[in-house]
Coordinates of all heavy atoms in Angstrom, one line a residue:
H12 N 60.3 293.0 167.7 CA 61.2 293.4 166.5 C 60.4 294.1 165.6 O 59.2 294.2 165.6 CB 61.9 292.1 166.1 CG 60.8 291.0 165.8 ND1 60.6 290.1 166.9 CD2 60.3 290.5 164.8 CE1 59.7 289.1 166.5 NE2 59.5 289.5 165.1
L13 N 61.1 294.9 164.7 CA 60.5 295.8 163.8 C 61.3 295.6 162.5 O 62.5 295.7 162.6 CB 60.6 297.2 164.3 CG 60.2 298.3 163.5 CD1 58.6 298.4 163.1 CD2 60.6 299.6 164.0
V14 N 60.5 295.5 161.3 CA 61.1 295.5 159.9 C 60.4 296.5 159.2 O 59.2 296.5 159.2 CB 61.0 294.1 159.4 CG1 61.6 294.1 158.1 CG2 61.6 293.1 160.2
F15 N 61.1 297.5 158.5 CA 60.6 298.4 157.7 C 61.4 298.6 156.5 O 62.7 298.3 156.5 CB 60.2 299.7 158.4 CG 61.4 300.5 158.9 CD1 62.0 301.4 158.3 CD2 61.9 300.0 160.3 CE1 63.2 302.0 158.9 CE2 62.9 300.7 160.7 CZ 63.7 301.7 160.0
S16 N 60.9 299.2 155.3 CA 61.7 299.5 154.1 C 61.7 300.9 154.0 O 60.9 301.7 154.4 CB 61.0 298.9 153.0 OG 59.7 299.5 152.6
R17 N 62.9 301.4 153.4 CA 63.1 302.8 152.9 C 63.3 302.8 151.5 O 64.3 301.9 150.9 CB 64.2 303.3 153.8 CG 64.1 303.4 155.2 CD 63.0 304.3 155.7 NE 63.2 305.6 155.3 CZ 62.3 306.6 155.4 NH1 61.1 306.3 155.8 NH2 62.5 307.8 155.0
H18 N 62.7 303.7 150.8 CA 62.8 303.8 149.4 C 63.4 305.2 149.0 O 62.9 306.1 149.3 CB 61.4 303.7 148.8 CG 61.6 303.6 147.1 ND1 60.9 304.8 146.5 CD2 62.1 302.9 146.2 CE1 61.1 304.6 145.1 NE2 61.8 303.5 145.0
D19 N 64.5 305.2 148.2 CA 65.0 306.5 147.7 C 64.5 306.7 146.3 O 64.9 306.1 145.3 CB 66.6 306.4 147.6 CG 67.3 307.6 147.2 OD1 66.6 308.7 147.3 OD2 68.4 307.6 146.6
T20 N 63.6 307.8 146.2 CA 63.0 308.0 145.0 C 63.9 308.5 143.7 O 63.8 308.2 142.7 CB 61.9 309.0 145.2 OG1 62.4 310.2 145.7 CG2 60.7 308.5 145.9
A21 N 65.0 309.1 144.2 CA 66.0 309.6 143.2 C 66.8 308.5 142.7 O 66.9 308.5 141.3 CB 66.9 310.6 143.9
S22 N 67.3 307.5 143.3 CA 68.0 306.5 142.8 C 67.2 305.1 142.7 O 67.6 304.2 141.9 CB 69.1 306.1 143.8 OG 68.6 305.5 144.9
G23 N 66.1 305.0 143.2 CA 65.1 303.8 143.1 C 65.6 302.8 144.0 O 65.0 301.7 144.0
D24 N 66.6 303.0 144.9 CA 67.1 302.0 145.8 C 66.1 301.8 146.9 O 65.4 302.7 147.4 CB 68.5 302.4 146.5 CG 69.6 302.4 145.5 OD1 69.5 301.7 144.4 OD2 70.6 303.2 145.7
V25 N 66.0 300.5 147.3 CA 65.1 300.1 148.4 C 66.0 299.3 149.4 O 66.8 298.4 149.0 CB 64.0 299.3 148.0 CG1 63.1 298.8 149.2 CG2 63.1 300.0 147.0
L26 N 65.9 299.6 150.8 CA 66.7 298.9 151.7 C 65.6 298.4 152.7 O 64.7 299.2 153.0 CB 67.7 299.8 152.5 CG 68.8 300.2 151.6 CD1 69.7 301.2 152.5 CD2 69.7 299.1 151.1
L27 N 65.9 297.4 153.4 CA 65.0 296.9 154.6 C 65.8 297.1 155.9 O 67.1 296.8 155.8 CB 64.7 295.5 154.4 CG 63.9 295.1 153.3 CD1 63.6 293.5 153.3 CD2 62.5 295.7 153.4
V28 N 65.2 297.6 156.9 CA 65.9 297.7 158.1 C 65.1 296.8 159.1 O 64.0 297.0 159.4 CB 65.9 299.2 158.7 CG1 66.5 299.4 160.0 CG2 66.6 300.0 157.7
A29 N 65.9 296.0 159.9 CA 65.3 295.2 160.9 C 65.9 295.5 162.3 O 67.3 295.4 162.4 CB 65.6 293.8 160.6
V30 N 65.2 295.8 163.2 CA 65.7 296.0 164.6 C 65.0 295.1 165.6 O 63.8 294.8 165.5 CB 65.2 297.5 165.1 CG1 65.8 297.7 166.4 CG2 65.8 298.5 164.0
N31 N 65.8 294.4 166.4 CA 65.5 293.5 167.4 C 65.8 294.2 168.9 O 66.9 294.2 169.2 CB 66.1 292.2 167.3 CG 65.6 291.2 168.3 OD1 64.6 291.4 169.1 ND2 66.3 290.1 168.4
R32 N 64.8 294.5 169.6 CA 64.9 295.2 170.9 C 64.8 294.2 172.0 O 65.2 294.6 173.0 CB 63.9 296.3 171.0 CG 64.0 297.5 170.0 CD 63.0 298.4 170.3 NE 62.7 298.7 171.7 CZ 61.8 299.6 172.0 NH1 61.0 300.2 171.3 NH2 61.6 299.7 173.4
G33 N 64.6 293.0 171.7 CA 64.4 292.1 172.8 C 65.4 290.9 172.7 O 66.5 291.1 172.3
D34 N 64.8 289.7 173.1 CA 65.7 288.5 172.9 C 65.9 288.1 171.5 O 65.3 288.5 170.6 CB 65.2 287.4 173.8 CG 65.0 287.7 175.3 OD1 65.9 288.4 175.7 OD2 64.1 287.3 175.9
E35 N 66.7 287.0 171.3 CA 67.0 286.4 170.0 C 65.6 286.1 169.4 O 64.7 285.6 170.0 CB 67.9 285.2 170.1 CG 68.1 284.6 168.7 CD 69.1 283.5 168.7 OE1 70.1 283.6 169.4 OE2 68.9 282.5 168.0
A36 N 65.6 286.5 168.2 CA 64.3 286.3 167.3 C 64.5 285.9 165.9 O 65.5 286.3 165.3 CB 63.5 287.5 167.4
S37 N 63.5 285.1 165.3 CA 63.5 284.9 164.0 C 62.4 285.6 163.4 O 61.3 285.5 164.0 CB 63.4 283.3 163.7 OG 64.8 282.8 164.0
E38 N 62.5 285.9 162.1 CA 61.4 286.6 161.4 C 61.5 286.3 160.0 O 62.5 286.3 159.4 CB 61.6 288.1 161.6 CG 60.5 289.0 160.9 CD 59.2 289.0 161.7 OE1 59.1 288.7 162.9 OE2 58.2 289.3 161.1
T39 N 60.3 286.0 159.4 CA 60.2 285.7 158.0 C 59.9 287.0 157.3 O 58.8 287.6 157.7 CB 59.3 284.6 157.7 OG1 59.8 283.5 158.2 CG2 59.3 284.3 156.0
V40 N 60.6 287.5 156.3 CA 60.4 288.8 155.8 C 60.1 288.7 154.3 O 60.8 287.9 153.6 CB 61.6 289.7 155.9 CG1 61.4 291.1 155.2 CG2 62.0 289.9 157.3
T41 N 59.0 289.3 153.7 CA 58.8 289.3 152.3 C 59.7 290.3 151.7 O 59.8 291.5 152.1 CB 57.2 289.6 152.0 OG1 56.5 288.7 152.6 CG2 57.0 289.7 150.5
L42 N 60.3 290.0 150.7 CA 61.4 290.9 150.1 C 60.6 291.8 148.9 O 59.7 291.4 148.3 CB 62.3 290.0 149.2 CG 63.3 289.0 150.2 CD1 64.1 288.3 149.3 CD2 64.0 290.0 151.0
P43 N 61.2 292.9 148.8 CA 60.7 293.9 147.7 C 60.8 293.2 146.4 O 61.7 292.3 146.2 CB 61.6 295.1 147.8 CG 62.2 295.1 149.3 CD 62.2 293.7 149.6
A44 N 60.1 293.7 145.4 CA 60.1 293.1 144.0 C 61.5 293.4 143.5 O 62.3 294.4 143.8 CB 59.0 294.0 143.1
G45 N 62.0 292.4 142.8 CA 63.4 292.4 142.2 C 64.4 292.0 143.2 O 65.6 291.9 142.8
W46 N 64.1 291.4 144.3 CA 65.1 290.8 145.3 C 65.1 289.3 145.1 O 65.1 288.7 146.2 CB 64.9 291.3 146.6 CG 65.2 292.8 147.0 CD1 65.0 293.8 146.0 CD2 65.6 293.2 148.2 NE1 65.5 294.9 146.7 CE2 65.8 294.6 148.1 CE3 65.9 292.6 149.4 CZ2 66.2 295.4 149.0 CZ3 66.4 293.4 150.4 CH2 66.5 294.9 150.3
Q47 N 64.9 288.7 144.1 CA 64.8 287.3 144.0 C 65.8 286.5 144.5 O 65.7 285.3 145.0 CB 64.4 286.9 142.5 CG 63.0 287.2 141.9 CD 63.1 288.6 141.3 OE1 64.1 289.3 141.4 NE2 62.0 289.1 141.0
G48 N 67.1 287.0 144.3 CA 68.4 286.3 144.8 C 68.4 286.2 146.3 O 69.1 285.3 146.9
G49 N 68.0 287.1 147.0 CA 68.1 287.2 148.5 C 68.5 288.6 148.9 O 68.5 289.5 148.2
A50 N 69.2 288.6 150.3 CA 69.4 289.8 150.9 C 70.8 289.7 151.4 O 71.2 288.5 151.8 CB 68.4 290.2 151.7
V51 N 71.6 290.9 151.6 CA 72.8 290.9 152.3 C 72.7 291.9 153.3 O 72.2 293.0 153.0 CB 74.1 291.1 151.3 CG1 74.0 292.3 150.6 CG2 75.3 291.0 152.0
D52 N 73.3 291.6 154.6 CA 73.4 292.6 155.6 C 74.5 293.6 155.3 O 75.6 293.1 155.3 CB 73.5 292.0 156.9 CG 73.6 292.9 158.1 OD1 73.1 294.1 158.0 OD2 74.2 292.5 159.1
L53 N 74.3 294.9 155.2 CA 75.3 295.8 154.9 C 76.1 296.1 156.1 O 77.3 296.7 156.1 CB 74.6 297.1 154.4 CG 73.9 297.0 153.0 CD1 73.3 298.4 152.6 CD2 74.8 296.4 152.1
I54 N 75.7 295.7 157.3 CA 76.5 295.9 158.6 C 77.6 294.8 158.8 O 78.8 295.0 158.8 CB 75.5 296.2 159.9 CG1 74.7 297.3 159.6 CG2 76.4 296.2 161.1 CD1 73.7 297.5 160.8
G55 N 77.0 293.6 158.8 CA 77.9 292.4 159.1 C 78.3 291.6 157.9 O 79.0 290.7 158.2
G56 N 77.6 291.8 156.8 CA 77.8 291.0 155.6 C 77.1 289.6 155.6 O 77.3 288.9 154.7
A57 N 76.3 289.3 156.4 CA 75.5 288.0 156.5 C 74.6 288.0 155.3 O 74.1 289.1 154.8 CB 74.7 287.8 157.7
R58 N 74.5 286.8 154.7 CA 73.7 286.7 153.5 C 72.5 285.8 153.7 O 72.5 284.8 154.5 CB 74.4 286.0 152.4 CG 75.5 286.9 151.8 CD 76.1 286.3 150.5 NE 76.4 287.3 149.6 CZ 77.5 288.0 149.5 NH1 78.3 288.1 150.6 NH2 77.7 289.0 148.6
F59 N 71.4 286.1 153.2 CA 70.1 285.4 153.5 C 69.5 285.0 152.0 O 69.2 285.9 151.2 CB 69.1 286.2 154.3 CG 69.8 286.8 155.4 CD1 70.3 288.0 155.6 CD2 69.5 286.0 156.6 CE1 70.8 288.6 156.7 CE2 70.1 286.4 157.8 CZ 70.7 287.7 157.9
A60 N 69.5 283.7 151.9 CA 68.8 283.2 150.5 C 67.3 283.3 150.5 O 66.7 283.1 151.7 CB 69.2 281.7 150.3
A61 N 66.7 283.7 149.4 CA 65.3 283.8 149.3 C 64.7 282.5 148.9 O 65.3 281.7 148.1 CB 65.0 285.0 148.1
A62 N 63.6 282.3 149.3 CA 62.7 281.1 149.0 C 61.2 281.8 148.8 O 60.7 282.2 149.8 CB 62.8 280.0 150.0
A63 N 60.6 281.6 147.6 CA 59.4 282.1 147.4 C 59.3 283.5 147.6 O 58.2 284.0 148.3 CB 58.3 281.2 148.0
G64 N 60.3 284.5 147.4 CA 60.3 285.8 147.6 C 60.4 286.3 149.0 O 60.2 287.4 149.5
Q65 N 60.8 285.2 149.9 CA 60.9 285.6 151.4 C 62.4 285.2 151.9 O 62.9 284.2 151.3 CB 59.9 285.0 152.2 CG 58.5 285.4 151.9 CD 57.5 284.9 152.7 OE1 57.5 283.6 153.1 NE2 56.5 285.7 153.1
V66 N 62.7 285.8 153.1 CA 63.9 285.3 153.6 C 63.6 285.2 155.1 O 62.7 286.0 155.7 CB 65.1 286.2 153.6 CG1 65.7 286.3 152.2 CG2 64.9 287.6 154.1
T67 N 64.3 284.3 155.9 CA 64.1 284.2 157.3 C 65.4 284.6 157.9 O 66.5 284.1 157.5 CB 63.7 282.7 157.7 OG1 62.5 282.3 156.9 CG2 63.6 282.6 159.2
I68 N 65.2 285.5 158.7 CA 66.5 286.2 159.4 C 66.3 285.8 161.0 O 65.2 285.8 161.5 CB 66.5 287.7 159.2 CG1 65.2 288.4 159.7 CG2 66.8 287.9 157.8 CD1 65.4 290.0 159.7
T69 N 67.5 285.5 161.4 CA 67.7 285.2 162.9 C 68.5 286.2 163.5 O 69.6 286.4 163.0 CB 68.1 283.9 163.3 OG1 67.3 282.9 162.8 CG2 68.3 283.5 164.7
M70 N 68.1 287.0 164.4 CA 68.8 288.2 165.0 C 69.1 288.0 166.4 O 68.1 287.6 167.3 CB 68.0 289.5 164.9 CG 67.7 289.6 163.3 SD 66.7 291.2 163.1 CE 67.8 292.5 163.9
P71 N 70.4 288.3 166.9 CA 70.6 288.2 168.3 C 69.9 289.4 169.0 O 69.4 290.2 168.5 CB 72.1 288.5 168.3 CG 72.7 288.4 167.0 CD 71.5 288.6 166.0
R72 N 69.8 289.2 170.3 CA 69.0 290.2 171.1 C 69.7 291.5 170.9 O 70.9 291.7 170.7 CB 69.1 289.7 172.6 CG 70.5 289.6 173.2 CD 70.5 289.2 174.6 NE 70.2 290.3 175.4 CZ 69.7 290.4 176.5 NH1 69.4 289.2 177.1 NH2 69.5 291.5 177.2
R73 N 68.9 292.5 171.0 CA 69.4 294.1 170.8 C 70.3 294.2 169.6 O 71.5 294.7 169.9 CB 69.9 294.5 172.2 CG 69.0 294.5 173.2 CD 69.4 295.0 174.5 NE 68.4 295.0 175.6 CZ 68.7 294.6 176.7 NH1 70.0 294.4 177.2 NH2 67.7 294.4 177.6
S74 N 70.0 293.8 168.4 CA 70.7 294.1 167.2 C 69.9 294.7 166.2 O 68.7 294.9 166.2 CB 71.3 292.7 166.9 OG 70.3 291.9 166.4
A75 N 70.6 295.1 165.0 CA 69.9 295.5 163.9 C 70.6 295.0 162.6 O 71.8 294.7 162.6 CB 70.0 297.1 163.9
L76 N 69.8 295.0 161.5 CA 70.5 294.6 160.1 C 70.0 295.7 159.3 O 68.8 296.3 159.3 CB 69.9 293.2 159.7 CG 70.1 292.1 160.5 CD1 69.3 290.9 160.0 CD2 71.6 291.8 160.6
I77 N 70.7 296.0 158.2 CA 70.3 296.9 157.1 C 70.5 295.9 155.8 O 71.6 295.6 155.5 CB 71.2 298.1 157.0 CG1 71.0 299.0 158.2 CG2 70.8 298.8 155.7 CD1 72.1 300.2 158.2
L78 N 69.3 295.5 155.2 CA 69.5 294.6 154.1 C 69.3 295.3 152.7 O 68.5 296.1 152.6 CB 68.3 293.6 154.3 CG 68.2 292.8 155.7 CD1 67.0 291.9 155.7 CD2 69.5 292.0 155.7
A79 N 70.2 294.8 151.9 CA 70.1 295.2 150.4 C 70.1 294.0 149.6 O 70.4 292.9 150.0 CB 71.3 296.1 150.2
P80 N 69.6 294.1 148.4 CA 69.5 293.0 147.5 C 70.9 292.4 147.3 O 71.9 293.1 147.3 CB 68.9 293.6 146.1 CG 68.8 295.0 146.3 CD 69.2 295.3 147.6
D81 N 71.1 291.1 147.3 CA 72.3 290.3 147.2 C 72.6 290.0 145.8 O 72.0 289.1 145.3 CB 72.3 289.1 147.9 CG 73.6 288.5 148.2 OD1 74.6 289.0 147.6 OD2 73.8 287.5 149.0
P82 N 73.6 290.9 145.2 CA 73.8 290.5 143.8 C 74.4 289.2 143.5 O 74.7 288.7 142.4 CB 74.7 291.7 143.5 CG 75.2 292.2 144.6 CD 74.3 291.9 145.7
G83 N 75.2 288.6 144.6 CA 75.9 287.3 144.5 C 75.1 286.1 144.6 O 75.5 285.1 144.6
Q84 N 73.7 286.3 144.8 CA 72.9 285.1 144.9 C 72.1 284.8 143.6 O 71.7 285.6 143.0 CB 71.8 285.3 146.0 CG 72.6 285.5 147.4 CD 72.4 284.3 148.4 OE1 71.7 283.3 148.0 NE2 73.0 284.3 149.4

């Protein structure tokens, strides 16, 4: 699995992209500054609550997530 961030300098937006090319996997991800509430997947809508600036995501095999800050958390 692979997790990386993309930063748009014009808007200041930051997204995290997680790709799982193998079997089901869990990964603990450190969130960018300002994401204290957690993250939301822009593809499927799943929400991930933050604990100490991190979220743990579980991904099915051969899947991807695009994570943004969750304003609802």
Side-chain angles (χ1 to χ4, degrees):
H12 46 278
L13 171 70
V14 179
F15 61 93
S16 65
R17 297 299 297 172
H18 179 254
D19 179 28
T20 55
S22 68
D24 291 341
V25 177
L26 296 176
L27 295 178
V28 177
V30 179
N31 180 10
R32 295 179 39 184
D34 293 328
E35 181 175 318
S37 288
E38 180 76 23
T39 299
V40 178
T41 300
L42 297 173
W46 287 34
Q47 290 85 4
V51 61
D52 175 27
L53 298 179
I54 297 173
R58 290 186 143 78
F59 303 93
Q65 297 183 325
V66 295
T67 299
I68 56 176
T69 300
M70 298 177 62
R72 57 183 284 153
R73 298 185 182 139
S74 63
L76 301 171
I77 300 174
L78 301 175
D81 188 354
Q84 295 252 0

